[in-house]
Amino acid sequence: VRLEGMDALRAHLRAVHSMGVRIITRISPEYPKRLLAAMGRQAPLLLYCAGALSLLDTPCVSLVGSRKLREPGRDFARAVGRAAASSGKTYVSGGAVGADTEGFSGAWRAGGRAILFLPDSLRERIGRMGASLQSGRLLLVSLDGPDQSFSVRRAFARNSLIHAMGEKVFVAQTDQGRGGTWQGVTENLEQHWSPVYMCSQEPEDPGTAALIRQGAAPLRTADIPDMI
């Protein structure tokens, strides 16, 4: 049984390597020190990575936010991406539609770097983003094997990594009391992984007001460059 298990493991590793994916563990020299410092034993045992591993050792800022953005949140997300690029910080997000994508677009078009913690298939992302991966400016990271499809569990699990990886975390928009953005931000505020800055362009929005009451610092879009 043990030999069969080892054979299966070798086959898995060969398949992963053939995709250009590396598996790093908590004892690997490439494992992000920021995650270990912030999360301790809560940090994942291993990460599946495709792209520029060196980005894991760069200063990072993270962006989270709703998938269905209103215009103030969209402007905020793009501004975070641009400011990360201009300041030499690596942009970190979850690679989802909405805030994540808007922020990535801002960072990428400004010549910046990006780390995306994925909740969906790493293999499919590699296929869609192959040219960008060759640039040396992008790293895709998954908690699970490269063929794991999207699930809410995976999305929530990767949220903590986005928060812990950033020296600062910026929130473009959130629903109050529900959803992955809310869950990730409230967990960060409880665990004190990173300082949280909330887009304050819509101060009467219930989600905005609630997170500021819980400890997120309000931030205008115009002030993002100075804060990063």
Side-chain angles (χ1 to χ4, degrees):
V1 175
R2 279 189 228 164
L3 287 175
E4 291 175 356
M6 289 300 295
D7 287 343
L9 176 59
R10 292 190 187 99
H12 174 69
L13 293 176
R14 284 196 299 270
V16 167
H17 182 72
S18 70
M19 282 185 274
V21 174
R22 284 192 57 186
I23 301 174
I24 62 172
T25 71
R26 285 202 306 226
I27 61 172
S28 300
E30 301 91 350
Y31 196 93
K33 299 177 181 63
R34 174 77 188 169
L35 286 187
L36 291 173
M39 303 184 73
R41 292 185 178 181
Q42 289 182 300
L45 291 173
L46 58 83
L47 300 170
Y48 289 79
C49 302
L53 274 177
S54 60
L55 298 187
L56 292 172
D57 196 34
T58 59
C60 300
V61 294
S62 297
L63 175 82
V64 298
S66 301
R67 290 170 177 261
K68 296 181 179 179
L69 281 181
R70 297 181 293 273
E71 196 58 36
R74 186 174 294 110
D75 291 341
F76 186 90
R78 290 174 182 166
V80 169
R82 289 193 299 268
S86 64
S87 66
K89 303 288 180 66
T90 298
Y91 168 83
V92 177
S93 79
V97 299
D100 296 354
T101 300
E102 295 292 343
F104 175 77
S105 176
W108 199 254
R109 291 179 179 179
R113 309 180 301 250
I115 299 172
L116 306 183
F117 286 96
L118 304 176
D120 49 18
S121 169
L122 178 57
R123 182 193 292 270
E124 292 180 6
R125 291 286 187 137
I126 292 171
R128 296 202 303 266
M129 305 183 77
S132 298
L133 286 170
Q134 298 303 315
S135 69
R137 297 193 286 130
L138 177 63
L139 180 67
L140 305 179
V141 183
S142 173
L143 282 167
D144 302 297
D147 293 309
Q148 295 295 311
S149 58
F150 175 87
S151 72
V152 173
R153 177 197 65 80
R154 295 188 69 211
F156 275 48
R158 67 83 151 92
N159 287 342
S160 60
L161 305 185
I162 296 168
H163 281 268
M165 194 69 186
E167 296 175 355
K168 296 177 180 178
V169 178
F170 298 86
V171 188
Q173 182 184 306
T174 185
D175 293 327
Q176 182 180 8
R178 62 187 178 91
T181 300
W182 177 269
Q183 174 267 340
V185 175
T186 54
E187 185 179 18
N188 185 358
L189 291 171
E190 292 171 0
Q191 298 291 334
H192 304 290
W193 288 325
S194 303
V196 177
Y197 297 88
M198 181 74 215
C199 173
S200 62
Q201 300 298 117
E202 296 182 302
E204 302 305 318
D205 173 66
T208 299
L211 286 184
I212 292 173
R213 286 196 300 270
Q214 292 187 40
L219 183 66
R220 299 183 309 159
T221 301
D223 296 329
I224 289 172
D226 292 334
M227 187 55 63
I228 290 182

